[in-house]
Amino acid sequence: MKTIDMYEVGPRDGFQNIKEYIPAETKMAIIDGLVQAGIRHIEVTSFVSPKAIPQLKDAREIVTACLRQYPEVDFMALIPNLRGAETAVAVGMTRVAYVVSLSASHNKANINRTHEQSYQALKEIRETYPQLDVIVDLATTFGCPFEGKFPASRVVEFLKDYVDLGIREVCLCDTIGIANPGQVRDILRAVQQAYPQLELQVHIHDTRNMGAACSLAAIEAGVTKIQSTLGGLGGCPFAPGASGNLATEDMVYMLNEMGYDTGVDFPWVLALAKKEVQLIPTGVYSGHHIRIDAASRCFR
Ligand code: COA
Ligand code: ZN
């Protein structure tokens, strides 16, 4: 049975879009539920400017609680710069996701940096914290709200400097949900051919309801790490038109039914997604049960 590792990023990519502050206890209740459902990889927050993302101002508190309570879980946080890495290391994290966008204009809108500045910042992080495990989150890999789509060769070219810097893991992100399965296959094939040693993850938003199809295309191309969010909660505050993510419960349902081993309990994660909608009714959700519920139809 093939194992697929579900990487839950809702507490970061989902929560970051919600204006009203979600109390840390509510955030922790959802993280507790995710761990109980069997999720073993969670991006729990970001170490970014609280002016850019006020919702995640409690990042230190959340990470500290997570590391204390669940030593068996692989917790990550998103960072945009050296300052983020410093904080991550100070609170005891060993793994972070460093975000940079393939599109220069989205990189500027999201983290106010040029490509060169982002590269230099990562170089500094690698030199300062050589032990820190850094995943590169390549935002807008499959298309940008300002610049449109890029050829696979552009992804390969962009990653060269990062691979040369010793990066071993990259998450290809469809920040606004415009990928299709054929494009996912083509880009993965090109990246795998150029850098066979690179570990790959995918992160697909569900704007056109293609999150599961695109993620399955990635699995069929050999990817074993799939990012998703509980309930499909998501968006990007700096990418107009970004909608929810691939919903964890929908992907777990599909993979479990197909005979993959996700280690995640579907009824549990479905119940948790429904609970999250009650707790955070202001979120943008793409989870299928939520759309069904909205149409007042019975689902399970
Ligand atoms: N953690 C906390 N605060 C940080 C920080 C970090 N990693 N990096 C910078 N800051 C603070 C600075 O101290 C400064 O605070 P001050 O205004 O009180 O002095 C302020 O943020 C601006 O710092 P500066 O270095 O001038 O950055 P900037 O204005 O060019 O913004 C980022 C750059 C990266 C800090 C900011 O754009 C950001 O945090 N973006 C996050 C975007 C994001 O999370 N997007 C969604 C995920 S993909
Ligand atoms: Zn995202």
Side-chain angles (χ1 to χ4, degrees), residues 12 16 47-49 51 53 81 83-84 110-113:
R12 193 278 300 171
Q16 74 181 10
F47 292 113
V48 296
S49 162
K51 283 182 191 149
I53 310 277
N81 56 15
R83 166 95 182 267
N110 193 35
I111 55 172
N112 194 26
R113 295 292 179 266

Side-chain angles (χ1 to χ4, degrees), residues 98 100-108 111-122 138-140 147 150 154 158 161-162:
Y98 179 79
V100 57
S101 297
L102 181 60
S103 122
S105 50
H106 184 260
N107 206 49
K108 186 75 185 160
I111 55 172
N112 194 26
R113 295 292 179 266
T114 62
H115 277 159
E116 181 56 25
Q117 287 169 324
S118 279
Y119 170 76
Q120 288 302 334
L122 182 60
L138 189 60
T140 67
E147 295 181 37
F150 307 106
R154 175 91 173 263
F158 186 90
D161 288 343
Y162 286 76

Side-chain angles (χ1 to χ4, degrees), residues 6 8 39 206 209-213 215-216 219 226-233 244-258 262 264-267 269-271 273-274 285-292 299-300:
M6 297 302 298
E8 172 66 39
I39 305 264
D206 211 21
N209 204 14
M210 263 172 242
S215 299
L216 186 61
I219 289 171
I226 301 295
Q227 294 202 352
S228 62
T229 71
L230 187 69
L233 185 62
N245 284 62
L246 166 64
T248 304
E249 65 279 10
D250 292 351
M251 194 62 187
V252 163
Y253 175 78
M254 181 176 81
L255 293 177
N256 288 0
E257 291 281 312
M258 288 175 78
T262 62
V264 183
D265 184 304
F266 170 69
V269 90
L270 177 63
K274 290 183 172 182
Y285 292 95
S286 71
H288 189 61
H289 66 284
I290 292 154
R291 283 180 253 148
I292 298 282
F299 181 67
R300 263 165 222 276

Side-chain angles (χ1 to χ4, degrees), residues 102-103 105 140-151 154 176 178 183:
L102 181 60
S103 122
S105 50
T140 67
T141 297
F142 300 94
C144 162
F146 315 114
E147 295 181 37
K149 293 203 175 188
F150 307 106
R154 175 91 173 263
I176 53 169
I178 58 171
Q183 185 194 12

Side-chain angles (χ1 to χ4, degrees), residues 82-95:
L82 180 64
R83 166 95 182 267
E86 271 165 23
T87 316
V89 170
V91 295
M93 289 207 113
T94 55
R95 206 157 182 236

Side-chain angles (χ1 to χ4, degrees), residues 19-33:
K19 276 208 176 64
E20 300 75 21
Y21 177 66
I22 306 164
E25 308 82 72
T26 307
K27 289 174 175 155
M28 281 311 297
I30 291 167
I31 294 167
D32 289 340

